[in-house]
Structure formats: C-alpha cells, structure tokens
C-alpha cells in the first residue's frame, strides 16, 4: 500500500518530520544547486556556495534565538552522545586553564542534574572520562548528582530546594527536555518545577542539552549558559549535525590545557575552539544536514520567528494534553507525567489502559495515517512527538482519535 | 548563468560527485521513501525501512570488498579526523587489555608512516592524546615515525628499506592515498614503492586510512589489517559518515581497559565495540549519508563489482597521466609526483608552467565546464580528482583541454 505525504501524520521522536517545502527545495539542490550543474553534496564545503549556506544558517540562528555576539555558534558532527563527552572535556580544559598558575589544582566536582535517560548518560560518560588515570589514583574530576528524579522513575522535576550545587563546580549540566518520558522544564519561571537558574553558584558554567526542544520556543536565560548543545534531528534538520552555542570565554586551546596535566585528553574533533576558529570548517562538515537545516531556518523565520513558534507549540501541547486529561478522567488513559508543569511540549507520553490496549491503539492510529507513535523501547506505551513540523491540524486529528478510542 | 548536470565535469577532491541516477533516487526518497508517506530523513533509524538500508549497505560492502566474516563493518559519524583519534584510542585500549594481567605494562611505541598531510595529522593527534597525564610523568604511549617522506615534501613513497617498525608497536598506521599531493601506494606489490606488508612485525596491528580510495579498487591484504577507516565522501556518498572495517578480536570494552589505567580515556562515541554491538545503531546515525551510500553501493555492484571499478579507474588515471607526461615533455606542465608508481589514481596533481599559467588554465577549464580543479589551498596548482563517479569521458575531455592549452 502506498501513501503520499498528505496521507500521513508523522509523530516521530527523532529523526522527525521536516517541512514539505524544505524537502522539495532540498531535492532540487541535491541534483543541481542553484544552477551550478552540481548537487549540494558534490560541492566543496569550502566553496562560496556552501560558505553562504553555513554562514547564513548561523546568522539565522542568531536572529531566531537572539544569541549575543560574545557567543559562538558551531556546527559539529556527532549528536548528543558526542556532546556528553565534549561538554565535559572542554569545560575541564577551561577549568584547568583557569588554574594555570595554580600549583594546587585539585580535581573539581562536576554537577549533573539527572531528570531522565539523557542526563543520566551524560553523567555516566563523565564518570568514564574522569576515571583515575591509574588504579588507586584520584579521579580527574568528581562527577556528582546535584539533583535527581530517579526515585520517581524520572516522571517529575526536582523542586527548588532539592538541588544541591557545589559552590566550586566545574559546571552544572542539565537536560532541558527528556524525550523518553516527556519531561521538560517549564518556560514559566515562577513554576515550582522551574530550573533554578538563580541558584547556580556565581561563576559556575551552566551547560544545557537542548537537543529536543531547540528552536521550538525561546531558551530561558540563554546568557547565563556557558554551553548549549542541540542535535538538529528534532526540530531543525536531518540527523547528522549538532549545533553548539558556546560563550567565547569558554573556548580554550585544549592542547595547552592538556600540557598542564590533570585532565582527560581531548580528541581534536571534540574541541570547541578549533571548530570556532575555523567557523565550523576545520574539516569536512556534514554538508547535507547543514544545508537542510539552513533551509528550515529560512522557512521558520519566514513564518514569524521564535514567538510564533512558541505560540504554535504551546497550542499543540495544550490540545493534546487536554484530550489526554479528559481520557484519563474517563479511565482510558494513564498519563506518565503527573506534574502538569513538567509535561513536555515536544514529547507527550501516555499509556492506554487495559490489556493489549496500547497495541490496539497503535494499530488503529496507523490505519488512520498517524505514524511513529510507539513509545521508546525502554518504556513502551505511546509517545506523540510534536516537533516544529508537526501541525496543529495533525494534533487535532490525533486528539479526535484518542477521544473516540476504546480498547 | 545556469548549468545542467550534463554541462559540468566535476573533479572535486571531496565532497565529490555522485552518480546522477543515485541522486535522482535519493531526491525521491527524501520526500517519500518507498510509499511510506514519509521521507528517509523523517523515519526512525530503528524502523524496519532504515534497518534494511543499513544492513543492506553492510552486506554490499562485504560483497564488494570480500570482507571476511571475522571483521565488523561499522558506520560512524565524523570523518577521518575523528578516526585519527579513534584508531589510536581503541588500539591502545586493546593493547592495555592484552596486558591485563601484566604488572609491568609499559607505554608502547605507536608507529606512523607519514607520507602526507593526513598521516602527519594522525601522528600529531596521537602525540596529543598520549601526552603525559601530569608534567614530568611518562607519556601514555610513544608515537613515533616508522618512515617519512617529509624530506621530499611528500612527493615520493618510502622504499622497503626505509621503514623501521618497532617490534612491539601497539600499531602501524598508514594512509593509503594522500590527497593533497596525489600520493598513493601502488596496487602492484612488486613495485619498489609498495607498502611493505611483509615487514610488519608479527602480531602488530596494521591500521589503514583508505578514505580517498575506498571502493575504487581492491584493498591489498585486507586480512592483514586490524582496522581500515574510510570517510565516504570521496567514492561512496555525501559527507557525514565513515566506514570502519575492524577485525573482531580488536573490539574491546574501552571502559574495562580504562579501569586498568595507563591509557587515554575513550569518549563513548569513539569506541568501536559499542558501535559493533549495536550494529552501528548505538545512537542516531547519519541517516541520509548512509542511505545515499547504500544506493551508491547498489549502483556500483550493478556495474560489475570491484574488478570493474579497478579497470575503469586504472584507465582514467592512465589517460590523464599520459596526457600530462606529454605536456611535461613539451614543457607546459610540471608533475608534482615524479615516481610513477607513487602516483595516485584518485588525485592527479600538477602545475602549469609559467607566470599566471595556473589561473589561466583554471579559468579556461571552468569555461569548458571542468569544475573544482583548483589544487589544495596548502599547495596551490591544479588537482583533478577522479573518484568513481567521474567518467572516462570527462577525463578524456579534460585531457584534450590540457593538450590544447598554452599559457
């Protein structure tokens, strides 16, 4: 059976849907980019054509997110998994350089806020990389947990008094949106679930994983962050490129830092500074992923900027959560995240009540063209991801289906 | 001025041309993959559709290159630059595990054969990563140069007696084709320039960078290699994915190795074993780059396999080098690589003789539709790259232009 794009409502968690006009443009560019006679993947990344694309993408990101001039915007290969390492490695190099003249450099604490699988993995990776260089020696740093919602199985967000930050942490790391359970820090800073930006100790770098909500709404307190990283394959482009926003004073020559000793070595591909010095063209970048992301940025800017995106995404989430709450009251649905303020706009997660209900729901949904609704393999259930390219209409359609579904 | 694909002969050094039928297919798949109603970049990498693509690509690579069953075939993000680190990190972890019970583990030598910029960078990266963990301490390993052609400015290949391998090296690393000067180890094993496979000490892992010649011809003595790495953006696909062929006994749990101490920590993204254990789906892979590479593999197999590719590429190189030798005899051209056996089939590098001759040549070439012939920015001159998608006809056209050109 064959479907057209208009037959299908794609709720994938990532890779995720892309706007049809962007894909149509990209399909042309794939064969012949702007009458060069060569496709975008066949041009040098150092051509004036590609440079215009990547510099244009950077300019548009700056515009969309109001990124201050003292931040660099980088495009890196690898996804969040690479950034679990890169954030730690660059920040420790920065820390080491800060203590350059210090004869008493001691391995610092590194604070992780663990609210789901991805922040847990980041913490785990820090433990790996900071392992003692010899058995019995001291670790290179002390990754610790500043707050965790593991006791609630990552179905809540910590409250303000549940965070305990090290006054001298090398960084505080958090994940703004955890995709598996659909946990997202609320935009509303007065919420009890809000991320406690004000509690970050003075001078401690703040690092945020914004992979799954990037460009869906503004970034709160962007200027308080040292680093923000975001794989693009949720709201911005195809898999293969990660955007890194890093304040320029955190860019360090990791080779110089490594010479001081006491930090994990930094593979050159992980270093932020060399990427920044080369405007992301240190080596061959993921050209096609950057190209499509650049097209998406133009498309989104033409639709009105970040306020408009926030408005639309807020509405999509509202429609779906309202429907689910109604169904929960009727006993057919169980929400995974009970705290309303912690509910993600990007990933809406629930279970259909009753034996075999999830499978029946998914089958029926599929029959109506609602695709990729299966929950993450680690938790099962249902997950509708509502990234930028998912329309309000698709969400309304799904809501009607939920309304009418009985197991 | 607007060109069609048939107007243009693309001699780019990477990213490089792709077969038109492949791009046409990919353009369709971008919008709607096989009637799913979703484009290839909008499907889950864990969908049955994408699994079929990536497993099919692996199967075709095995077929094309006759890869034995005791090797894994992996698809990784990042390019050769990442592999400069990954090869060293994984091999040292392997080395450390080999000496697990050994109370007298000592930092091993690591041998680099340096025949150009890329092998030089790999050596340099090893020096970075193996730096003493504290000033005054011993390095974690001793990268050394087993042979180098730096004295000839990387315009020759070493001869058999110029290699001095450490009997106990953690690995011997070489680059099969250096793209900047166009230096490639000859297929003919009886040549004085041939890579000395027989001189690699018993038990020492051999690691080869095959990025720029991958799939252009057979890999000599594949089974003598521990690891072969190849970014795909020369002969196989768009930028963004690297193929790694690694013998299974070299796959180690780097976390376990790190616990033993004495080796650089390995960021999890760099580890080969975790990629192998997850059939390259540890995290979101570069979906589109793998998809297009998979299409290219089908296309190449349909055209007759590796022997046919070798035949065609040999002919392309022959035509162009003959033309250049004639022009050199006439005094209009100066070949960069004087040793015929060291001349690359993939990158043909020369200078036009006379003041302003290079620029005049390039301008005229461009006017005839011959694109991306400018030499690497570090050396200037002319460079024609003859990757798989470049046809014999394009090469003949270029040769005619060279024949008729006067400065």
């Amino acid at each position: 059976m064959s479907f057209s794009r208009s037959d299908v409502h794609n709720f994938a968690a990532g890779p995720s849907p892309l706007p049809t006009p962007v894909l149509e443009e990209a399909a042309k560019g794939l064969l012949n980019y702007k009458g060069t006679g060569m496709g975008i993947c066949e041009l040098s990344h150092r051509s004036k054509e590609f440079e215009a694309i990547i510099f244009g993408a950077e300019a548009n990101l700056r515009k969309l997110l109001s990124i201050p001039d003292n931040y660099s915007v980088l495009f890196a290969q690898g996804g969040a998994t690479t950034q679990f390492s890169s954030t730690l490695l660059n920040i420790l190099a920065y820390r080491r350089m800060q203590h350059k003249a210090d004869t008493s450099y001691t391995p610092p604490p590194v604070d992780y806020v663990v609210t789901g699988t991805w922040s847990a993995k980041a913490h785990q990776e820090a433990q790996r990389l900071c392992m003692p260089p010899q058995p019995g020696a001291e670790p290179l740093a002390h990754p610790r947990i500043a707050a965790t919602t593991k006791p609630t199985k990552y179905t809540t967000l910590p409250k303000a008094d549940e965070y305990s930050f090290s006054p001298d942490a090398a960084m505080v790391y958090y994940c703004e949106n955890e995709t598996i359970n659909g946990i997202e820090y609320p935009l509303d800073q007065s919420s009890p679930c809000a991320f406690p930006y004000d509690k970050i100790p003075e001078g401690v770098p703040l690092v945020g994983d914004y992979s799954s909500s990037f460009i869906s709404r503004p970034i709160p307190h962007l200027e308080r962050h040292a680093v923000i990283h975001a794989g693009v394959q949720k709201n911005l482009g195809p898999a293969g490129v990660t955007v890194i926003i890093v304040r320029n004073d955190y860019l360090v020559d990791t080779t110089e830092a490594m010479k001081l000793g006491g930090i994990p070595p930094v593979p050159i591909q992980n270093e932020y500074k060399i990427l920044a010095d080369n405007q992301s063209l240190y080596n061959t970048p993921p050209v096609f992923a950057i190209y499509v992301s650049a097209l998406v940025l133009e498309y989104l800017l033409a639709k009105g900027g970040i306020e408009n995106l926030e408005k639309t995404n807020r509405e999509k989430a509202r429609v779906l959560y309202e429907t689910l709450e109604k169904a929960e009251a009727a006993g057919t649905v169980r929400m995974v995240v009970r705290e309303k303020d912690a509910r993600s706009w990007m990933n809406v997660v629930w279970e259909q009540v009753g034996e075999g209900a999830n499978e029946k729901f998914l089958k029926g949904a599929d029959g109506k063209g609602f695709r990729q609704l299966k929950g993450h393999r680690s938790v099962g259930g249902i997950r509708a991801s509502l990234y930028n390219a998912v329309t309000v209409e698709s969400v309304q359609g799904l809501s009607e289906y939920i309304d009418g579904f009985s197991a």
Side-chain angles (χ1 to χ4, degrees), chain A residues 11 13 179-182 320-321 324 332-337 346-354 356-366 370-377 379-386 398 401-402 405:
Chain A
F11 293 96
T179 58
I180 290 176
N181 281 345
L320 187 51
Y321 280 117
L324 289 168
T332 56
V333 149
R334 185 175 59 246
M335 300 293 297
V336 167
V337 179
M346 297 285 96
N347 313 99
V348 183
V349 181
W350 72 96
E351 303 223 328
Q352 296 290 142
V353 173
N358 285 328
E359 292 68 36
K360 193 176 169 200
F361 177 92
L362 289 169
K363 198 167 176 202
D366 202 72
F370 302 122
R371 296 279 189 271
Q372 307 201 81
L373 281 167
K374 206 169 167 185
H376 190 270
R377 61 195 185 289
V379 296
I382 318 289
R383 173 173 59 174
S385 298
L386 312 182
L398 177 64
Y401 174 70
I402 294 166
F405 178 81

Side-chain angles (χ1 to χ4, degrees), chain A residues 152-172:
Chain A
T152 67
K153 295 194 177 132
Y154 302 135
T155 58
T156 57
L157 279 171
K159 307 306 171 290
D161 60 359
E162 289 167 30
Y163 294 83
S164 99
F165 297 120
S166 316
D168 194 34
M171 75 174 168
V172 168

Side-chain angles (χ1 to χ4, degrees), chain A residues 22 49 52 57 87 134 136 160 194 247 251 255 268 291 298 314 323:
Chain A
V22 164
E49 287 86 4
T87 49
Q134 292 290 355
R247 214 172 75 188
L251 296 172
T255 310
I268 197 67
Y291 167 59
E298 282 178 3
R314 185 189 294 274
T323 305

Side-chain angles (χ1 to χ4, degrees), chain A residues 225-243:
Chain A
H225 291 77
V227 182
I228 286 162
H229 69 87
V232 304
Q233 73 269 21
K234 315 288 178 174
N235 285 298
L236 186 49
V241 68
T242 294
V243 173

